[in-house]
């Protein structure tokens, strides 16, 4: 029996969701103290999280990032916010799907089953987490986290995609066109400066971990992540 954690501050809606999902043999746990979302997640052993965006104190994006530090379980946002930017924010902060309110319970159930199959069942690729290494720098692409010398930093989804592309070709130039292809399925509407913004953010996060000058700009060509010990 899979366990679902419901992080919803509308107590009536949380109870209705719990009652509906329980009929399909899911064990549900409802968060009651919104200061202890991560602790409740850990104690529940949840296989999947249903997460609202508007919550007391910290929003759902914050709690999604906290859960991602310790788990790769599916996280489905459920929110009344229906803008495209909210959905982008949810995915960039580590969410797997986004359902807008009001919703059909059947749709929620179908998405839960689909994500559980992909994570643990028929379509699960592997239980081992992917890691990329460059010297002592480690990227966890599925958690959007980098670690170096005992310190870690969080990335957004786009930042993780950018750094993964550079690490896979460490020491070699990756063109701007290749990075745009990796980061955006449809780049026709992407402003050219947008990639510069993400490069700056990743460069700063590397610098904060003591990896200054590892990400180089190769004028007229693209970007290069230098190899460990290589003089920039």
């Amino acid at each position: 029996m899979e366990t679902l954690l419901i992080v919803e501050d509308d107590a009536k809606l949380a109870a209705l969701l719990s009652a509906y999902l329980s009929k399909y043999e899911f064990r549900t746990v409802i968060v009651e103290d919104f200061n202890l979302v991560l602790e409740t997640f850990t104690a529940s052993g949840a296989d999947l999280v249903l997460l609202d965006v508007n919550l007391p104190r910290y929003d759902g994006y914050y709690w999604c990032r906290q859960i991602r530090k310790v788990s790769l379980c599916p996280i489905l946002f459920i929110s009344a916010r229906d803008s495209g930017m909210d959905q982008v924010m949810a995915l960039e902060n580590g969410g797997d799907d986004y359902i807008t309110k009001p919703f059909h319970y059947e749709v929620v159930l179908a998405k839960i089953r689909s994500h559980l199959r992909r994570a643990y069942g028929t379509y699960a690729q592997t239980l081992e987490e992917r890691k990329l290494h460059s010297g002592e720098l480690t990227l966890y692409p599925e958690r959007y986290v980098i670690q170096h010398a005992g310190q870690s930093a969080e990335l957004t989804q786009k930042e993780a995609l950018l750094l993964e592309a550079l690490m896979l070709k460490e020491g070699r130039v990756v063109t701007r066109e290749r990075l745009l292809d990796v980061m955006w399925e449809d780049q026709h509407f992407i402003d050219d400066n947008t990639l510069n913004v993400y490069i700056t953010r990743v460069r700063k996060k590397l610098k904060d971990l003591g990896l200054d000058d590892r990400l180089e700009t190769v004028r007229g060509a693209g970007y290069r992540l230098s190899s460990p010990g290589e003089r920039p």
Side-chain angles (χ1 to χ4, degrees), residues 86-141:
D86 285 309
Q87 298 185 39
V88 169
M89 288 281 291
L91 297 177
E92 289 219 337
N93 280 280
D96 296 290
D97 209 333
Y98 196 98
I99 304 168
T100 56
K101 300 174 184 174
F103 52 78
H104 294 287
Y105 286 90
E106 294 83 358
V107 172
V108 176
L109 176 63
K111 284 181 176 285
I112 288 173
R113 285 174 165 168
S114 173
H115 282 281
L116 288 174
R117 282 196 301 271
R118 286 190 178 279
Y120 313 110
T122 309
Y123 306 125
Q125 293 182 344
T126 175
L127 294 176
E128 185 175 345
E129 182 178 12
R130 284 201 308 128
K131 302 175 187 175
L132 279 77
H133 300 283
S134 173
E136 294 185 1
L137 172 66
T138 302
L139 167 67
Y140 298 87

Side-chain angles (χ1 to χ4, degrees), residues 165-170 172-179 182 221-225:
L166 291 165
M167 291 179 73
L168 287 172
K169 297 194 72 171
E170 180 189 88
R172 292 170 287 173
V173 174
V174 183
T175 66
R176 290 179 62 87
E177 291 74 18
R178 174 59 184 158
L179 292 174
V182 168
Y223 301 93
R224 188 176 82 103
L225 187 73

Side-chain angles (χ1 to χ4, degrees), residues 3-223:
T3 298
L4 312 178
L5 180 68
I6 300 174
V7 190
E8 167 63 64
D9 66 338
D10 182 334
K12 182 178 179 181
L13 178 57
L16 288 171
L17 262 174
S18 176
Y20 179 82
L21 295 171
S22 296
K23 290 191 299 184
Y24 293 90
E25 300 186 346
F26 290 112
R27 171 179 174 258
T28 60
V29 175
I30 299 174
V31 169
E32 296 180 353
D33 186 341
F34 291 95
N35 293 311
L36 301 174
V37 173
L38 185 59
E39 289 82 351
T40 307
F41 168 79
T42 303
S44 70
D47 299 293
L48 181 146
V49 179
L50 296 172
L51 181 59
D52 193 6
V53 174
N54 295 322
L55 295 170
R57 193 174 182 187
Y58 298 112
D59 62 22
Y61 305 136
Y62 170 84
W63 288 117
C64 188
R65 293 196 301 274
Q66 303 312 304
I67 293 171
R68 276 287 171 260
K69 291 180 180 178
V70 299
S71 175
L72 297 174
C73 80
I75 299 176
L76 281 61
F77 278 88
I78 294 182
S79 175
R81 298 188 188 181
D82 59 0
S83 75
M85 183 52 66
D86 285 309
Q87 298 185 39
V88 169
M89 288 281 291
L91 297 177
E92 289 219 337
N93 280 280
D96 296 290
D97 209 333
Y98 196 98
I99 304 168
T100 56
K101 300 174 184 174
F103 52 78
H104 294 287
Y105 286 90
E106 294 83 358
V107 172
V108 176
L109 176 63
K111 284 181 176 285
I112 288 173
R113 285 174 165 168
S114 173
H115 282 281
L116 288 174
R117 282 196 301 271
R118 286 190 178 279
Y120 313 110
T122 309
Y123 306 125
Q125 293 182 344
T126 175
L127 294 176
E128 185 175 345
E129 182 178 12
R130 284 201 308 128
K131 302 175 187 175
L132 279 77
H133 300 283
S134 173
E136 294 185 1
L137 172 66
T138 302
L139 167 67
Y140 298 87
E142 293 155 335
R143 271 196 282 157
Y144 311 149
V145 169
I146 48 175
Q147 293 181 346
H148 178 260
Q151 299 184 71
S152 64
E154 297 175 16
L155 304 173
T156 66
Q157 181 198 35
K158 297 298 185 192
E159 292 166 359
L161 289 171
L162 169 61
L163 190 54
E164 180 177 0
L166 291 165
M167 291 179 73
L168 287 172
K169 297 194 72 171
E170 180 189 88
R172 292 170 287 173
V173 174
V174 183
T175 66
R176 290 179 62 87
E177 291 74 18
R178 174 59 184 158
L179 292 174
L180 289 168
D181 281 342
V182 168
M183 296 171 68
W184 287 279
E185 291 183 1
D186 185 350
Q187 54 179 278
H188 290 93
F189 303 103
I190 303 301
D191 186 286
D192 196 48
N193 288 325
T194 303
L195 179 58
N196 298 339
V197 171
Y198 281 99
I199 289 286
T200 300
R201 290 177 182 173
V202 170
R203 187 171 275 150
K204 182 179 184 309
K205 290 180 180 179
L206 291 173
K207 181 179 180 181
D208 290 344
L209 294 179
L211 297 170
D212 202 2
D213 297 331
R214 284 286 302 278
L215 176 50
E216 304 170 42
T217 300
V218 181
R219 190 176 297 278
Y223 301 93

